[in-house]
Amino acid sequence: MDAGIVIEFGYFAVAVVFILGLKAMSSPATARKGIVWAGIAMVGATLVTFATPGLGNHALMIAAIVLGGALASWSGRVVKMTDMPQMVAIYNGMGGGAAAAIAALEFARGAVHGPGAATFAVLGALIGSVAFAGSCVAFAKLQGIMKKAWRLPRQNLVNVVLSALAVLLGAAIVATAAPAPGLIGAFFVLALVLGVILTSPIGGADMPVVISLLNAFTGLAVG
């Protein structure tokens, strides 16, 4: 059997286990089982990735896994249960940031070809950047770093204008065969600012709802 088919089947199987794990997390009675399933799926996805033919940078990948695993293990042990919401917020933000960083790297190395692939990369970058910046604000509010909501004059109008500008810059990237670094940089800066602006007016009591929405953003960006 062709190695590519085996790899694709492995990713499909991992995706199914991820979905089952997320479904189990929706109930307190099965949440622990769901977390275990999701963890198994993540290990499986990592192994499938390492098995991809022609993949390089194994040493960097292993170093990143060791570093990330050590930080997660340490933080999971020392963070109090009462501080779990902000921990979830920052972890979720890392997922969105990773999706945006991957898209940025693909644009920087000129690996995104065709309007279809470029459109998905732009969407992933925009949604991931918003999720990352918004989750950082949510963490700051829940941790007590930001003491109160911060609202701009004509906030709704600002949100609409920034969103429209981000979409226009994204469309310009898609329409350009080789987008300039300045255009890509401006797009990501605007997307990050948009994430901050959208989240900063919301009070701390509503942060769990915001985190749930940003969590969905992260999942969409990664997808």
Side-chain angles (χ1 to χ4, degrees):
M1 184 180 293
D2 182 72
I5 296 177
V6 175
I7 295 297
E8 293 300 324
F9 178 79
Y11 278 129
F12 176 77
V14 164
V16 172
V17 179
F18 265 125
I19 293 171
L20 293 175
L22 289 172
K23 179 65 173 65
M25 289 183 202
S26 64
S27 170
T30 57
R32 182 185 295 271
K33 180 172 64 175
I35 292 173
V36 172
W37 285 0
I40 292 173
M42 182 59 72
V43 173
T46 303
L47 294 176
V48 172
T49 301
F50 273 104
T52 302
L55 188 68
N57 293 325
H58 288 94
L60 289 175
M61 293 168 64
I62 293 173
I65 291 173
V66 171
L67 178 61
L71 288 173
S73 178
W74 172 79
S75 61
R77 294 175 185 276
V78 301
V79 172
K80 301 176 182 178
M81 285 299 298
T82 53
D83 294 334
M84 278 296 157
Q86 48 263 52
M87 183 177 180
V88 171
I90 200 64
Y91 275 8
N92 171 64
M94 294 301 103
I102 291 172
L105 181 60
E106 293 299 294
F107 280 120
R109 61 195 288 260
V112 179
H113 302 289
T119 299
F120 281 115
V122 165
L123 287 174
L126 176 60
I127 299 170
S129 297
V130 170
F132 171 72
S135 295
C136 289
V137 173
F139 169 82
K141 285 177 176 277
L142 291 172
Q143 191 66 19
I145 300 173
M146 291 182 66
K147 299 296 184 180
K148 54 185 178 181
W150 177 60
R151 186 176 182 87
L152 293 173
R154 308 291 295 273
Q155 178 75 47
N156 292 335
L157 179 60
V158 172
N159 293 344
V160 172
V161 171
L162 289 179
S163 300
L165 287 175
V167 171
L168 288 175
L169 288 179
I173 292 174
V174 173
T176 306
L183 177 60
I184 297 174
F187 169 74
F188 277 95
V189 169
L190 186 59
L192 291 171
V193 171
L194 181 60
V196 173
I197 296 299
L198 288 174
T199 313
S200 58
I202 302 173
D206 294 323
M207 277 299 118
V209 178
V210 176
I211 292 172
S212 297
L213 179 61
L214 293 174
N215 185 34
F217 279 9
T218 294
L220 183 60
V222 172

